[in-house]
Amino acid sequence: MLAKTCTALASLQLFFRIVTAIPIKQQPLGHIASSNVQTVRDELKKAEIIPTVIDDFLPSLTLSVSWSKKDADLGNTLKPKHLQDEPTITLHDDTNPDGSAASEMTYIITLTDPDAPSRDNPEWSEMCHWIAANVSLSQMTISILPIPFLGAKEYGTKSGPDDVMEYKPPGPPPKTGKHRYVFLVFAPKNGTMEPLDLSKPKDRQHWGTGEERGGVKDWAEKNELVPVAANFIYSKNKKQ
Ligand SMILES: *[C@@H]1O[C@H](CO)[C@@H](O)[C@H](O)[C@H]1NC(C)=O
Ligand SMILES: *[C@@H]1O[C@H](CO)[C@@H](O)[C@H](O)[C@H]1NC(C)=O
């Protein structure tokens, strides 16, 4: 009984927090830099991710990647110790920010290291760090209908994407300089909304292709996927 009352109270608090948090004017969505897909493309070129890792493309969605303490921000440098847990992925359609027409399409997130073991000597490149499917577009508005009264818990139950290749945290070896860790989001080329039968690379090194520089581009082509969003960070071992 007490527990029930507490839940109801918590729902009530959540409801009022949401109501009082309604912005008076339009708030920018996330970082300014990541809200502009042209900026994303420019930064990918500056870091030579285009064309080394992926062919030139103009992203159509923006991608936020957040670990518990840090976020990816198009080429910021983060310490490996902050990258240990699988990050939270948020995919926005800035042209349709409230997600009202969000399609049922699901996306694929990947993480690759083209600088293994180092950018000067990428003989293990690329290293596959993560492939996960069933990533959905995020809906940006919070409903102000009294949904919390029906079940505040529902806000927290959305499960993460489904792993095809488990998240392996970046672990740049000592004395190998800064590595680029590149997140790319893909969509099926034919726009299908059916679940995809994605291939799992045989190996992380070279994404299982057995060839130096074999990587996410080869895997995406094989699985008939096209890139739609990206973000990246730099990370290095503290022993240099
Ligand atoms: C994605 O979700 C669908 C439907 O729930 C499921 O059939 C499919 O196996 C999932 N994909 C992966 C890679 O787990
Ligand atoms: C769309 O492409 C996927 C591979 O990405 C394939 O499995 C599927 O059969 C294709 N669907 C149609 C309708 O062509």
Side-chain angles (χ1 to χ4, degrees), residues 102-230:
S103 76
E104 293 297 301
M105 180 124 84
T106 62
Y107 299 87
I108 296 99
I109 177 94
T110 61
L111 173 60
T112 192
D113 173 6
D115 303 325
S118 71
R119 192 158 171 176
D120 294 337
N121 175 29
E123 62 179 337
W124 304 338
S125 164
E126 294 169 16
M127 192 70 82
C128 174
H129 279 265
W130 195 25
I131 304 174
N134 288 337
V135 179
S136 310
L137 269 185
S138 306
Q139 306 206 349
M140 293 304 288
T141 46
I142 296 172
S143 168
I144 57 159
L145 295 172
I147 287 171
F149 291 113
L150 301 177
K153 272 189 298 199
E154 269 162 26
Y155 279 105
T157 53
K158 199 197 156 289
S159 57
D162 294 319
D163 286 341
V164 174
M165 198 75 151
E166 224 175 277
Y167 178 70
K168 175 183 157 67
K175 301 194 161 106
T176 62
K178 279 187 183 183
H179 292 222
R180 292 166 292 178
Y181 290 94
V182 183
F183 290 89
L184 286 166
V185 172
F186 293 92
K189 200 185 277 179
N190 63 10
T192 182
M193 293 177 194
E194 302 288 312
L196 300 171
D197 187 18
L198 299 169
S199 67
K200 179 180 165 123
K202 285 197 292 287
D203 209 349
R204 290 190 187 268
Q205 193 170 317
H206 303 139
W207 283 63
T209 61
E211 281 168 38
E212 194 171 319
R213 292 274 181 212
V216 67
K217 187 161 56 177
D218 305 271
W219 181 82
E221 268 165 26
K222 188 171 149 195
N223 286 280
E224 296 178 44
L225 303 173
V226 289
V228 295

Side-chain angles (χ1 to χ4, degrees), residues 11-109:
S11 302
L12 203 64
Q13 275 176 353
L14 179 61
F15 177 65
F16 283 112
R17 233 184 306 149
I18 290 168
V19 169
T20 51
I22 295 172
I24 301 153
K25 54 182 189 217
Q26 186 97 32
Q27 299 282 318
L29 299 173
H31 298 287
I32 301 294
S34 66
S35 70
N36 183 335
V37 292
Q38 187 62 53
T39 308
V40 176
R41 184 205 221 168
D42 291 345
E43 294 302 322
L44 292 174
K45 285 184 180 170
K46 240 186 262 171
E48 294 173 16
I49 291 163
I50 292 176
T52 309
V53 177
I54 196 85
D55 293 335
D56 192 11
F57 76 105
L58 183 63
S60 52
L61 303 173
T62 57
L63 168 66
S64 309
V65 179
S66 304
W67 291 269
S68 55
K69 296 205 169 71
K70 302 282 174 181
D71 300 333
D73 193 13
L74 294 176
N76 52 329
T77 301
L78 298 179
K79 293 184 174 137
K81 69 172 179 191
H82 289 130
L83 311 174
Q84 292 306 303
D85 297 326
E86 184 177 303
T88 304
I89 299 303
T90 316
L91 208 50
H92 311 141
D93 181 351
D94 287 357
T95 60
N96 179 26
D98 67 356
S100 54
S103 76
E104 293 297 301
M105 180 124 84
T106 62
Y107 299 87
I108 296 99
I109 177 94

